[in-house]
Amino acid sequence: MHHNWSRYLRVIIAGLAITTLVGFIFDRPLWGLTFGLVVYLWWTLVQARRLYHWLGNPSSTDEAPQSIGMWGDIFDGLNKLHQNHLRTLDRLRARINRVQESTNAMRDGVIMTDSRGAMEWWNGSAEHLLGFRRNTDQGQYIHNLIRNPVFKNYFDSRDYREPLEINSPAKPHIHLQIQISLFGDDDRLIVAKDVTRLYHLEQMRRDFVGNVSHEMRTPLTVISGYLETLVDHSDELPPKWRRAINTMAAQSSRMEALITDLILLSRIETGEQTVDDSLTDVDAVIEQICHDAKALSGDKQHAFTVNITDHRLLRGDESQLRSAFSNLIFNAVKYTPAHGHITVSWTTNREGAHLSVKDTGIGIDPVHIPRLTERFYRADPSRHKDTGGTGLGLAIVKHVLLNHDGNLEIRSRIGDGSEFICHFPRERLVERVPETARND
């Protein structure tokens, strides 16, 4: 490149020298130099004009203008850059078209928005599921098209670890699962999945469990009543029947407990038992449950320690909270060997309130902890018969905590006992009103 520039410079100097020499012949050397400069300037302006027109509309022709010398090399270099740019642009368009074709083939709706929610692109499934229109909705804020306060709060929260389930704004019979991901310069990629079938199946399962449980309660009550009568008069029965009657009575009681827990869990899941935002005196609830737990302990003679360091009230449904707390404390009694120690603590900190139930039992293998809150899941099936539990206690605890914006933490290892901690948000704590102020 440096060699070509030196050659171009020599040609220009030679041309000006020739015009100056011609001027000497006519005794006008300055005119000759001026004529050479004017010709060179005219040539430069002509080539610059051709370049200007070509740059104004480079796609109108496949190649740049043709020329000679330095301008010829400039045109050739620009033409190569232009052709490379066109090939790169074609490749990018092909890739974008392929991505759009693949996303349009998806059954899930895909939407791209900026950080404020202005819609930039969406696929065909999004139009079907959410009712977007290609010609009019470009650039619109997604909050104006999905008019649901829950969705707006989810979009603005920036906490997208869990998906959101809502009904479609365009087709209310379609149940959608919304998942948002952050990318680029705080932009959003929104995926809307049609989970209507799964939602209906789950609803059918809940209805089935609830209805069957209610239908079984009446005949089981009759059976239990007759069995209790037989147990009361077992002295009048032949000895070989006494054991059978007692076993049936015990299993009947277990079935009644199972049906009661199933009905409670079904009500909590389906929303029949709505969360009452009344104020719960946690101190009194814990004291009463621990008193009942000591009676349940009986001959095992467990040692109980109750630590209550905060006496504020908890906003929530007292019956649901009582059910959750009693499940945890009674489980500690059932799974802790005789003369073991059970510690129940109610504490608060900057994050919120915490109920801890800690025992000195045999512990749980950590591999089972993620599944302990599943219905009927047991870490040790061999203990099912001994404890007489229903396998629904921790599932009830999980759903009660979800209804109260809380979560359950489980800590345990084999041989080191177990600790179950219920975490509640700080916003649910309410100061007690003094008795004098209440009377006034």
Side-chain angles (χ1 to χ4, degrees):
M1 192 71 180
H2 178 72
H3 176 72
N4 290 341
W5 172 253
S6 299
R7 182 165 59 87
Y8 300 147
L9 188 59
R10 288 196 298 269
V11 170
I12 294 172
I13 294 174
L16 293 176
I18 292 173
T19 57
T20 303
L21 183 60
V22 172
F24 265 114
I25 296 174
F26 295 98
D27 198 23
R28 294 289 189 271
L30 186 59
W31 285 20
L33 177 61
T34 303
F35 176 78
L37 291 174
V38 170
V39 170
Y40 176 74
L41 179 61
W42 172 80
W43 168 258
T44 302
L45 290 175
V46 170
Q47 303 307 315
R49 181 175 178 274
R50 298 176 65 193
L51 176 62
Y52 176 79
H53 286 293
W54 180 72
L55 290 177
N57 190 16
S59 59
S60 61
T61 178
D62 292 334
E63 297 182 356
Q66 300 295 320
S67 186
I68 59 174
M70 180 178 64
W71 283 100
D73 288 347
I74 291 175
F75 288 146
D76 290 342
L78 289 175
N79 185 64
K80 289 180 181 179
L81 291 175
H82 177 59
Q83 296 301 323
N84 290 335
H85 170 72
L86 291 178
R87 285 192 292 268
T88 302
L89 193 61
D90 289 340
R91 287 196 299 268
L92 290 176
R93 285 174 177 169
R95 291 180 182 178
I96 292 174
N97 291 336
R98 184 171 178 82
V99 171
Q100 291 183 347
E101 289 175 0
S102 61
T103 51
N104 281 325
M106 295 174 60
R107 300 183 64 180
D108 299 339
V110 180
I111 308 104
M112 293 174 58
T113 73
D114 62 13
S115 58
R116 297 179 300 171
M119 295 176 54
E120 298 176 349
W121 179 86
W122 59 91
N123 66 351
S125 295
E127 296 182 0
H128 169 70
L129 296 174
L130 295 164
F132 297 157
R133 291 171 293 183
R134 182 70 57 181
N135 297 330
T136 59
D137 292 340
Q138 186 75 28
Q140 295 288 329
Y141 289 108
I142 194 169
H143 316 117
N144 297 333
L145 302 176
I146 304 179
R147 293 181 176 273
N148 190 324
V150 176
F151 172 78
K152 189 176 188 310
N153 293 336
Y154 180 65
F155 185 93
D156 295 336
S157 69
R158 296 176 57 88
D159 183 6
Y160 307 133
R161 290 172 295 181
E162 296 294 332
L164 172 71
E165 293 193 5
I166 60 173
N167 290 327
S168 168
K171 303 176 180 178
H173 65 279
I174 295 180
H175 199 75
L176 299 177
Q177 183 183 80
I178 306 294
Q179 181 71 64
I180 302 180
S181 302
L182 294 172
F183 75 99
D185 189 16
D186 204 26
D187 296 331
R188 265 72 165 180
L189 178 67
I190 304 173
V191 178
K193 181 180 296 185
D194 184 355
V195 293
T196 306
R197 182 171 176 272
L198 294 176
Y199 177 77
H200 287 161
L201 287 175
E202 181 68 14
Q203 190 66 38
M204 289 174 59
R205 181 194 64 78
R206 292 174 180 174
D207 293 342
F208 174 78
V209 171
N211 293 336
V212 170
S213 300
H214 280 288
E215 294 298 327
M216 289 178 62
R217 170 169 276 183
T218 300
L220 187 59
T221 301
V222 175
I223 294 173
S224 298
Y226 280 113
L227 286 174
E228 288 178 5
T229 303
L230 291 174
V231 170
D232 293 339
H233 299 81
S234 59
D235 295 339
E236 304 174 9
L237 297 174
K240 64 179 181 179
W241 289 103
R242 295 175 187 172
R243 182 178 179 183
I245 295 297
N246 290 329
T247 301
M248 285 190 292
Q251 296 303 318
S252 175
S253 298
R254 288 186 60 190
M255 287 188 66
E256 284 186 325
L258 175 61
I259 289 175
T260 299
D261 283 351
L262 279 173
I263 292 175
L264 175 60
L265 182 59
S266 176
R267 286 176 177 173
I268 294 174
E269 287 183 336
T270 56
E272 292 180 19
Q273 188 171 357
T274 57
V275 177
D276 183 9
D277 275 340
S278 59
L279 300 180
T280 299
D281 188 347
V282 179
D283 301 14
V285 171
I286 293 177
E287 292 288 351
Q288 182 178 355
I289 294 174
C290 288
H291 180 270
D292 296 339
K294 292 176 183 178
L296 178 64
S297 175
D299 297 336
K300 289 186 176 182
Q301 297 181 355
H302 295 114
F304 284 84
T305 300
V306 180
N307 297 319
I308 299 177
T309 61
D310 192 293
H311 300 283
R312 283 178 287 180
L313 303 176
L314 183 67
R315 187 179 300 279
D317 188 281
E318 181 174 341
S319 63
Q320 289 193 23
L321 294 172
R322 184 184 300 274
S323 176
F325 295 171
S326 61
N327 268 300
L328 293 178
I329 297 174
F330 292 165
N331 277 351
V333 173
K334 294 175 184 178
Y335 293 115
T336 301
H339 306 288
H341 189 251
I342 298 172
T343 303
V344 180
S345 304
W346 175 254
T347 59
T348 59
N349 56 19
R350 295 176 58 186
E351 297 178 356
H354 316 279
L355 174 77
S356 168
V357 181
K358 189 174 183 180
D359 61 56
T360 57
I362 62 174
I364 304 169
D365 191 333
V367 72
H368 297 293
I369 290 179
R371 299 190 60 191
L372 281 181
T373 55
E374 295 180 9
R375 302 173 186 84
F376 305 110
Y377 183 83
R378 290 183 176 272
D380 184 3
S382 64
R383 296 192 296 174
H384 178 86
K385 187 179 297 185
D386 299 331
T387 60
T390 63
L392 294 172
L394 292 181
I396 293 174
V397 172
K398 182 185 74 171
H399 282 88
V400 169
L401 293 180
L402 288 175
N403 286 345
H404 291 79
D405 307 316
N407 61 85
L408 177 65
E409 179 184 359
I410 303 174
R411 303 173 182 173
S412 184
R413 288 195 307 174
I414 295 294
D416 289 343
S418 304
E419 182 178 12
F420 294 80
I421 307 174
C422 300
H423 299 289
F424 296 93
R426 186 178 181 181
E427 294 75 18
R428 286 192 170 268
L429 289 173
V430 179
E431 295 288 346
R432 289 177 179 267
V433 178
E435 290 293 334
T436 55
R438 197 179 307 170
N439 294 334
D440 292 343

